[in-house]
Amino acid sequence: MAPTFADVQAASHRIRPFVHRTPVLTSAALDNWLGTRAYLKAEHLQRAGAFKYRGATNAVQSLTDEEAKHGVAAHSSGNHAAALARAAATRGIPAHVVMPESVRAVKRAAVLAYGATVTSCENTPESRAETLARVIERTGAVEIHPFDNDAVIAGAGTAALELCDEHPDLDVIIAPVGGGGLLSGTALAAHGRQSDVRVLGAEPLEADDAARSLSSGARQPPLPPSTIADGLLTGLSDRTFAILREHVDTIVTVDEPSIVEAMQTAWQFTKQLIEPSAAVALAAVRSCELDGSRVGIIVSGGNVDLDAMFASLR
Amino acid sequence: MAPTFADVQAASHRIRPFVHRTPVLTSAALDNWLGTRAYLKAEHLQRAGAFKYRGATNAVQSLTDEEAKHGVAAHSSGNHAAALARAAATRGIPAHVVMPESVRAVKRAAVLAYGATVTSCENTPESRAETLARVIERTGAVEIHPFDNDAVIAGAGTAALELCDEHPDLDVIIAPVGGGGLLSGTALAAHGRQSDVRVLGAEPLEADDAARSLSSGARQPPLPPSTIADGLLTGLSDRTFAILREHVDTIVTVDEPSIVEAMQTAWQFTKQLIEPSAAVALAAVRSCELDGSRVGIIVSGGNVDLDAMFASLR
């Protein structure tokens, strides 16, 4: 059975002792650039640097002691790995993370710093899945999928729940979409609180499988993506696709130059280091010309490849 | 007569309706890296993006109606220009800013957006001074110097005053030093509130005229500087030198790689876009090995040349 608004509310209660209630930021200059009134739910200031910590925490804290005793496991090249490692450490259980060898050293170091065990694999879906299966067989750990998991989806929705509680009169709420976990949770939370709010997704044009899935009515596989928004490469699952079909109005696609421009503009005006995936949502809002609407934007995280950007300064 | 702690208190009261009371940020990861407990006074979140707005506002709001009626004027290539333009707009008086032609377009645009009149000059001290003199003669505007001005110094000190009020048990307080206005105001505020707090300055090794001035006991001219911390190029004035001699323990100098490393680390851990001049203070704290002390750091602003950094993404 699909997760519900009640699951998001329960998740919010469950994870409250462990997560930051992130601020909602506004900027008159950014509003002027976006052509709307934007309320930024600042998940780049969340623990472990992204909204992912909410879902990982909800999943980890939902386990019974019996389920939790051999720890948790996932494959991830990004934010979910760090989030799960930290969530497991908070509960005092092991975390086993499978990461492609190609992952940037700083990401691997973050996961190790939270005390997780990292197993390397090749950067193919097959190698990830096989390696994870072996790890689980060996350890008895419970898999926590980064988005195809009801507890993770409900946890991800708690960001939107907090946003809607603070700003109960939003016209639109928007989140970036990769695997669809964040957007699914956001939609459940938003429509649970306020049935008439319009829920939008934001996706890179170069990784537009969710947009194609919704417009065709059949789940489409991701094509080999080539986008700066490296958090949004994954395709939907049946679970997230079903939720998005029911709740999401449109998925807005934006090209790469728009994403980079939105990221630089947001940095300039807010002095906040938001990640490319979050900039996708800002670029989508700008492209929509929402003209003075009150728009809630889930700023997914602050995961930026600073090594590349600082190279020009060294 | 030099400005006093009472002037800082009066400034704080005067500018309160116009400035943000910026938050004080902490980060366990950053503390670990710095080897201390750091309290970051987040002036990058100040209006116009830097502490400069405090001093400019205090100066503008201190004018009588008679003094203010022909507006204010300054030469500046940086944050003071934007701050003064905005402060003047808030009072509804003209601002005349002299800027070198070489200034980045984004800086000029910011000043123009606040409604100031911009007069271009060559990028030499002589051309700046002559052009400003002509503007003042023509307009009757009052010059507001970026740091060699009691009201500006007192206004700059209000950031430290707020920091000390929130954290009355700091062992050390540190601010970057260019012309010395921020450090002077910081020292007056800190010693006014708490006579035993140690006041440090932070300066790029490549622009270390303040450090040389304090250690030699005679004001030293700035050598042609070459530092990423482009807010700290200026030399001290007699006014700021006198205040620093009385109040400042040491000026810590840091090399360019340390500044860049501190900036990247701060961005990584706090997700806040702090400018190179603020990174100078962080690098100085790290180099001092203050070992668990409680250190207040004035994060001067968020003025970063993003065009250069984003070039790698385009």
Side-chain angles (χ1 to χ4, degrees), chain B residues 15-159:
Chain B
I15 69 178
R16 191 162 300 153
F18 308 107
V19 305
H20 286 314
R21 185 177 178 107
T22 52
V24 177
L25 307 178
T26 60
S27 158
L30 189 65
D31 282 355
N32 190 42
W33 185 79
L34 291 171
T36 189
R37 293 166 69 190
Y39 299 84
L40 307 178
K41 181 62 174 170
E43 289 297 298
H44 64 295
L45 304 177
Q46 187 51 265
R47 289 183 198 274
F51 79 93
K52 293 275 186 185
Y53 189 61
R54 295 176 180 270
T57 297
N58 191 44
V60 164
Q61 296 292 340
S62 296
L63 298 175
T64 64
D65 288 345
E66 180 64 23
E67 290 169 329
K69 70 180 178 187
H70 299 301
V72 288
H75 63 75
S76 164
S77 52
N79 291 338
H80 180 62
L84 187 64
R86 185 158 183 172
T90 297
R91 183 154 177 185
I93 62 173
H96 304 278
V97 176
V98 173
M99 300 186 96
E101 289 190 354
S102 56
V103 158
R104 282 188 287 129
V106 62
K107 288 193 178 182
R108 184 181 305 263
V111 172
L112 290 169
Y114 294 131
T117 307
V118 175
T119 306
S120 292
C121 68
E122 289 171 49
N123 194 16
T124 63
E126 297 74 23
S127 174
R128 286 173 168 233
E130 282 165 19
T131 310
L132 179 61
R134 270 189 284 115
V135 166
I136 288 173
E137 192 183 322
R138 180 165 49 79
T139 60
V142 178
E143 179 180 0
I144 309 292
H145 191 277
F147 60 86
D148 193 30
N149 176 307
D150 286 352
V152 169
I153 290 171
T158 61

Side-chain angles (χ1 to χ4, degrees), chain A residues 44-45 49 106 228 260-261 263-264 267-268 270-273 302-303 306-310 312-314, chain B residues 44-45 49 106 228 260-261 263-264 267-268 270-273 302-304 306-310 312-314:
Chain A
H44 64 296
L45 304 178
V106 62
I228 187 179
V260 174
E261 187 194 9
M263 189 159 105
Q264 180 170 348
W267 288 23
Q268 180 78 39
T270 69
K271 309 300 181 192
Q272 302 297 297
L273 207 77
N303 196 350
L306 292 178
D307 283 337
M309 303 190 80
F310 274 76
S312 69
L313 302 184
R314 291 181 200 277
Chain B
H44 64 295
L45 304 177
V106 62
I228 186 179
V260 174
E261 187 195 7
M263 188 159 108
Q264 180 171 347
W267 287 24
Q268 180 78 38
T270 69
K271 309 302 180 190
Q272 302 298 297
L273 208 78
N303 196 350
V304 176
L306 292 178
D307 283 338
M309 303 192 79
F310 273 75
S312 69
L313 302 184
R314 292 182 200 276

Side-chain angles (χ1 to χ4, degrees), chain B residues 2 49 53 56 63 75 88 141 146 148-149 176 179 190 215 221 224-226 233 244 258 277 290 294:
Chain B
Y53 189 61
L63 298 175
H75 63 75
D148 193 30
N149 176 307
S215 63
S226 148
L233 305 183
L244 300 194
S258 304
S277 300
L290 294 165
R294 297 167 60 89

